[in-house]
Amino acid sequence: MPSLEQPPKGVVAGLEEAIELLSKQPTSGRPAKVRDEVVKLLKTLHSEAQKEQASQRTMKAPAEEAILDKLSEIQATIEKQIQATVEKQIQAAVKKLERKNNIEASGDAPENDAPKNDAPKSEVSKNDTPKNYADVLKSTATKANHQTERQKQKEALAQEQASYRTVLSMKNMRPEARKSLLAMTGREIAERCQDEINSWEWKSKNGKILPKPHIIGVKKLPHHLHLHFETSYQALTANTLKDWGNAFEGLRLHEPVYGVVVRRAPIDTPTDDKALRSLEEENNLKTGTITKAAPLRGRKKQQVDENSDDHSLVLYLNDKHAANRCIANGVNIDFAHHATERFTPQFKATQCFNCYSHGHHASNCKRNPRCGKCSENHDTRECKNAVVKCCQCGGPHEAWQARCPVIIAEKKRLKELMGRTPCLFDSWEHELEED
C-alpha cells in the first residue's frame, strides 16, 4: 500500500474529486471491477493522507509552543536583570546622599579624603615639599598638561567660530571713512551691510536661487570687520561677494594669502614687482598671483649666514590652487629648480613678555602685566625681588626659560599640530549648489 510522507497541499481534495468521478462512471463487467478496485485504493490513500496531515499539525503545535515559552523566559530574565541594576543604582545614590548629609551635619571630612597616616601636619607638609628640581618638574607637569589641553580646546573653538563669519578688509578705505565706520554702532554697520547683501541675487552654479545670508552680529577690529552669520553655509555664501563698496567705500572681502617656502634660493634673488612678474611667467602662474616675496626669518637654522650663497625665500600667493601647485611641483628661479613646502608661521612658538602667556605678543596684549622673574603683578623690568618663581608653572626659574614645563608642553603641542597639518592648503569642502 503506497504511503504519503508529507502530502502536498491539495492532495486530499484531489483524491476526493478523483473518487467521486470514478464512482459516477457508468460501466459494467470487468471494467466495473477495475473501477471498484481503483476507488478502493484511492479511498485508502485518502485516509492515509488525512492521517498524515493530522500528525503534522499535532507535531507542529508543540514546537511553536516551546519557542514561545523560551522567548517568555528570556524576556522575564532580562526584565529581572534591568530591575536589579536599577535598584542597585538607586541604593548607591541614596547611600551617597546620606553620607553627604552626615558629613555636612557633623562637619567632618570624608574618610576617603582623610590622610591614612597619623603623622603631624608639620611632618606631612615637610614630606610634600619638593626636594630637588626633578620634584618641581614632576609637580608642575600636571599644570602644564592642563594648560596645553585648554589651549587645544580654545583653538578648536576658534576654528569652529571662524566658519560662521566673513572677514572684510579696511586697508583700501580712506582714513576718514575708516574712522567713521569704527565710530558707528554694531547695529548701524549690520544694517548697511545687510542692505548690500539684499541688493544682490544669490545663485548657485546651476542657476538655483539661494537664500540671502542674514547677519546676526558685527565685530570691529582696527583694520578688519567681522560679519557673523546664522550658519557656516551663509558665511560661505557671503564670501563670494568681493566688493562691499556700496555699504562702505573701499570695504572689500579680506582675501588670505598662501605662503610657499622656497628652499636654497639664491641670496641675491630680486623681490621687486618686475622680478615677481618674471617669476610668475617662468612658473606658468597667472599675472598678479605672487603678491610678495621675503626671506624666511625667525628660525635660527634658517637665518642668513654671511658666507652663505642661498637662503629660504617665502613667496606669498593669493591663489590657493596656484600655491598648492608650487608646493607639489617646486619652483624654478632662473631655470634652477628648488624644493618647496607650505609656510606655517602659526606653528612658531610665541610668548607675550607682558603676561607671559603663549599665542600672542606683548604689543597686542590687553592683560595686566606679570613679572616673569618673581610672578608678582608688576613689570619684569621693575622687579627687585631676589626669589625667582615662574608665573606659568611656579617653578624656580624665569618664565621665559626653555626648561619651563609650560614652554616645553607648548612646543610639543605645536609640533604635534604641525605633524597633523596637510602638506597642501585645504580646498573648499562645500559648494554653493548644496543645501
Side-chain angles (χ1 to χ4, degrees):
M1 179 181 296
S3 62
L4 294 177
E5 295 182 359
Q6 298 179 353
K9 183 178 181 181
V11 171
V12 175
L15 290 172
E16 291 176 351
E17 186 177 355
I19 292 170
E20 183 179 359
L21 289 174
L22 285 173
S23 300
K24 293 180 180 180
Q25 289 297 321
T27 182
S28 61
R30 184 171 180 79
K33 293 181 180 181
V34 174
R35 180 197 64 189
D36 295 339
E37 290 293 332
V38 173
V39 170
K40 184 178 179 182
L41 179 59
L42 290 176
K43 288 182 177 180
T44 303
L45 292 174
H46 179 263
S47 177
E48 292 292 334
Q50 286 181 331
K51 292 179 180 179
E52 188 68 23
Q53 282 187 347
S55 64
Q56 287 185 357
R57 286 195 294 269
T58 305
M59 293 173 60
K60 187 176 179 181
E64 293 178 349
E65 292 179 358
I67 293 174
L68 293 175
D69 293 342
K70 191 66 176 176
L71 290 175
S72 299
E73 292 178 2
I74 294 173
Q75 184 178 2
T77 304
I78 293 174
E79 291 178 353
K80 289 181 181 179
Q81 292 178 352
I82 294 174
Q83 184 178 0
T85 304
V86 172
E87 289 178 355
K88 289 181 180 179
Q89 293 177 351
I90 293 174
Q91 292 175 0
V94 170
K95 290 181 179 179
K96 186 175 180 180
L97 289 174
E98 291 177 351
R99 193 183 308 114
K100 182 178 179 181
N101 293 333
N102 293 335
I103 292 171
E104 292 178 353
S106 60
D108 297 333
E111 295 181 359
N112 294 336
D113 297 336
K116 295 183 179 180
N117 56 358
D118 297 332
K121 293 183 179 180
S122 60
E123 294 182 6
V124 174
S125 60
K126 182 178 179 181
N127 293 333
D128 292 340
T129 303
K131 297 179 180 179
N132 49 39
Y133 185 71
D135 292 339
V136 173
L137 286 179
K138 186 176 180 180
S139 63
T140 56
T142 303
K143 182 178 180 180
N145 291 335
H146 287 330
Q147 292 182 357
T148 303
E149 188 64 29
R150 180 175 176 80
Q151 185 67 19
K152 290 181 181 179
Q153 295 175 359
K154 290 173 64 177
E155 290 181 356
L157 182 61
Q159 291 179 1
E160 177 68 17
Q161 293 174 347
S163 65
Y164 286 80
R165 68 171 178 248
T166 292
V167 181
L168 306 181
S169 174
M170 304 182 195
K171 67 178 183 179
N172 294 328
M173 296 181 66
R174 293 180 290 105
E176 306 84 31
R178 183 189 305 173
K179 185 177 181 180
S180 175
L181 186 152
L182 294 175
M184 296 175 64
T185 64
R187 179 181 292 276
E188 293 173 339
I189 296 174
E191 289 176 351
R192 291 181 62 169
C193 291
Q194 188 65 51
D195 291 339
E196 174 70 11
I197 291 175
N198 294 338
S199 65
W200 287 81
E201 188 178 30
W202 301 86
K203 293 183 178 181
S204 62
K205 292 181 180 179
N206 56 9
K208 180 181 177 181
I209 302 297
L210 298 173
K212 299 181 186 297
H214 178 64
I215 301 174
I216 60 173
V218 173
K219 183 177 181 180
K220 297 181 289 184
L221 297 175
H223 303 285
H224 295 90
L225 183 67
H226 292 181
L227 302 181
H228 294 262
F229 295 88
E230 292 179 343
T231 64
S232 58
Y233 181 75
Q234 290 186 6
L236 179 61
T237 306
N239 283 332
T240 61
L241 181 58
K242 305 295 183 182
D243 191 359
W244 295 71
N246 292 334
F248 297 95
E249 184 181 357
L251 187 65
R252 291 186 56 84
L253 180 72
H254 172 68
E255 298 182 0
V257 293
Y258 307 93
V260 178
V261 180
V262 181
R263 297 298 182 188
R264 303 185 68 83
I267 198 170
D268 57 352
T269 302
T271 57
D272 56 5
D273 289 341
K274 183 178 180 180
L276 296 182
R277 303 292 83 79
S278 176
L279 189 62
E280 291 170 347
E281 183 179 358
E282 185 176 2
N283 291 273
N284 296 322
L285 298 176
K286 186 178 178 180
T287 302
T289 302
I290 303 178
T291 60
K292 186 177 69 171
L296 179 66
R297 301 183 185 276
R299 298 178 182 176
K300 293 183 179 180
K301 294 182 180 180
Q302 297 170 347
Q303 285 181 348
V304 179
D305 186 79
E306 295 179 358
N307 300 324
S308 178
D309 296 331
D310 54 58
H311 66 162
S312 293
L313 185 70
V314 182
L315 301 180
Y316 296 91
L317 295 83
N318 57 17
D319 187 347
K320 182 187 304 182
H321 302 288
N324 286 339
R325 193 164 66 250
C326 290
I327 296 173
N329 301 332
V331 169
N332 298 319
I333 301 178
D334 196 17
F335 288 92
H337 188 77
H338 297 272
T340 55
E341 66 180 52
R342 177 178 176 177
F343 182 44
T344 54
Q346 66 271 28
F347 299 129
K348 178 184 176 182
T350 57
Q351 186 177 19
C352 172
F353 290 102
N354 179 60
C355 68
Y356 288 92
S357 297
H358 295 272
H360 66 277
H361 295 282
S363 58
N364 299 323
C365 184
K366 298 180 180 180
R367 301 175 182 175
N368 295 326
R370 294 190 66 185
C371 181
K373 183 179 178 182
C374 69
S375 75
E376 293 185 2
N377 297 328
H378 59 254
D379 193 284
T380 305
R381 293 167 292 187
E382 302 174 355
C383 183
K384 298 180 181 179
N385 294 331
V387 178
V388 177
K389 182 181 179 181
C390 176
C391 60
Q392 298 189 92
C393 67
H397 56 79
E398 292 86 355
W400 58 83
Q401 291 293 333
R403 66 176 183 268
C404 176
V406 176
I407 294 180
I408 294 174
E410 174 67 8
K411 290 182 178 179
K412 181 180 178 181
R413 182 186 67 84
L414 294 174
K415 187 176 180 180
E416 291 177 354
L417 287 175
M418 183 182 294
R420 294 197 299 267
T421 301
C423 296
L424 301 177
F425 294 99
D426 296 333
S427 59
W428 289 112
E429 297 180 357
H430 303 282
E431 298 292 341
L432 287 181
E433 60 263 24
E434 294 181 359
D435 293 329

